[in-house]
Amino acid sequence: MKRTGVAAQTPYIAVGILPVLPVGAFWILRKPAATPLDAARTITDPFLAKIRSGQVDAAWTSTANDFKSYLGREGFRRFVARQPVFKQPLNYVDCQSLEFAGATKWQCNYRSAPKPPQKLDEVRLLLTFEEGNWKVERCEVNPRPTPAIKQ
């Protein structure tokens, strides 16, 4: 008896689905990839840790070229020395993706955990993509509020 219709196509459908099953299982079971904003902390946390531990030159070396041009190594050393907030641990607050002139940047915000009578300090780091890596482009202490920026 000859099969017709769906019964005739069943072996072909099964053969077509078999190669897709392992790919589907891999896709469903794979570990979720870190979001870009999670990845931003892999840059900002070590940067701040280097500063806190006194490795200011190493922190400066890891920054973007614009940062180095604007501040210079000696300028960065003076900036860090004037900011007691860098001597204490900072708590991560948030990170946002921003767009400046068509380029995506990441802004990560940190706060100090002051002991009275110290005041609460904020640190804002802006990251840019340069030479295949994300790097600190700007470091601000107690910055002015960010203006409304297209996100």
Side-chain angles (χ1 to χ4, degrees):
M1 185 156 125
K2 187 174 182 182
R3 292 182 183 184
T4 59
V6 175
Q9 296 174 356
T10 302
Y12 298 111
I13 292 171
V15 170
I17 290 175
L18 285 176
V20 176
L21 288 176
V23 173
F26 171 76
W27 184 76
I28 290 170
L29 299 174
R30 78 184 186 329
K31 181 180 175 186
T35 67
L37 297 177
D38 292 335
R41 288 192 65 190
T42 66
I43 293 134
T44 57
D45 287 351
F47 175 78
L48 292 169
K50 286 176 189 172
I51 294 172
R52 189 172 54 253
S53 67
Q55 301 174 22
V56 178
D57 288 348
W60 182 84
T61 302
S62 69
T63 62
N65 290 331
D66 284 348
F67 184 98
K68 292 173 186 166
S69 296
Y70 176 73
L71 203 50
R73 188 183 305 259
E74 289 302 318
F76 185 58
R77 286 178 184 158
R78 285 191 299 273
F79 170 74
V80 168
R82 286 191 318 259
Q83 305 296 339
V85 67
F86 290 124
K87 294 185 174 108
Q88 57 187 307
L90 294 168
N91 298 321
Y92 172 79
V93 176
D94 65 2
C95 196
Q96 358 175 355
S97 177
L98 307 173
E99 192 163 318
F100 290 102
T104 300
K105 310 256 181 190
W106 296 339
Q107 176 182 297
C108 296
N109 300 300
Y110 290 80
R111 281 197 189 113
S112 64
K115 295 176 184 152
Q118 296 174 325
K119 66 181 178 106
L120 177 78
D121 286 310
E122 295 183 12
V123 174
R124 178 185 300 156
L125 300 174
L126 187 68
L127 304 179
T128 189
F129 194 72
E130 178 182 281
E131 299 171 351
N133 295 304
W134 288 94
K135 297 181 179 184
V136 174
E137 180 181 58
R138 189 178 312 152
C139 177
E140 300 173 306
V141 175
N142 296 320
R144 295 182 189 144
T146 303
I149 297 173
K150 179 184 168 189
Q151 294 187 21

